[in-house]
Amino acid sequence: MSSSRDPDCIFCKIISREVPAAIIHEDDRTIAFMDAFPSSKGHALVVPKDHHPNLLTLPTDLLQAAAALAQRIARAQKQALQPDGIIVSQFNGEAAGQTVFHYHVHVVPRWKGQDSAVHGRKQEDLQVLQEVASQIAAAL
Ligand code: 5GP
Ligand code: ZN
């Protein structure tokens, strides 16, 4: 289970179930859930359960665990949603576009003709996100 947490961190609150999210999968060290402001259908976040602000402060074993889960999620998205491509991206520091300071990896399906922005603008309904999460989870 998680050993370090920040009580003000939104992702720590999702991990502890204080805040709802459409969870795709979790294990003892990592969790994957749908981004609440998806930039495309299936936009997922892969998050180590321990609170570490970014790549620079993340222990290497958690980096590896998150990378392995990001690969599993990408493969499941490909099978479940049939996108043309998948973006995997990760931001470190406000100047780099990071807005939640708990390390995470975006895994974003992309279809031909879409722009490549990773941040969505509109919050999606939790129920809609849960349906997509179930589709991806079924392909894991
Ligand atoms: P960053 O810019 O830090 O890489 O991305 C943070 C991501 O977290 C954004 O894409 C944003 O939509 C997402 N996000 C912010 N708040 C919440 C939340 O409460 N729940 C979920 N599921 N995603 C969130
Ligand atoms: Zn956190």
Side-chain angles (χ1 to χ4, degrees), residues 13-14 17-22 126 130:
K13 289 180 184 172
I14 288 172
R17 306 299 200 270
E18 288 165 65
V19 165
L126 188 58
Q130 264 156 353

Side-chain angles (χ1 to χ4, degrees), residues 71-89:
Q71 184 188 44
R72 283 188 70 195
I73 295 293
R75 286 174 170 161
Q77 287 170 336
K78 181 71 184 167
Q79 192 181 313
L81 306 175
Q82 303 283 306
D84 298 314
I86 297 170
I87 296 175
V88 176
S89 63

Side-chain angles (χ1 to χ4, degrees), residues 10-11 14 33-37 91 97-100 104 106 119:
I10 186 70
F11 288 175
I14 288 172
F33 52 85
M34 306 312 299
D35 195 300
F37 295 77
F91 307 114
Q98 188 176 12
T99 58
V100 175
H104 56 279
H106 296 259
H119 291 107

Side-chain angles (χ1 to χ4, degrees), residues 6 23 37 39 43 59 62 81 98:
D6 175 343
I23 294 170
F37 295 77
S39 70
H43 182 169
L62 293 182
L81 306 175
Q98 188 176 12

Side-chain angles (χ1 to χ4, degrees), residues 76-132:
Q77 287 170 336
K78 181 71 184 167
Q79 192 181 313
L81 306 175
Q82 303 283 306
D84 298 314
I86 297 170
I87 296 175
V88 176
S89 63
Q90 191 271 310
F91 307 114
N92 300 285
E94 202 174 344
Q98 188 176 12
T99 58
V100 175
F101 298 94
H102 179 139
Y103 177 88
H104 56 279
V105 180
H106 296 259
V107 187
V108 190
R110 273 283 179 274
W111 285 265
K112 282 177 190 152
Q114 272 188 307
D115 70 43
S116 58
V118 163
H119 291 107
R121 292 197 187 88
K122 185 179 151 290
Q123 185 160 11
E124 185 57 274
D125 287 344
L126 188 58
Q127 199 185 331
V128 172
L129 295 175
Q130 264 156 353
E131 278 167 29
V132 185

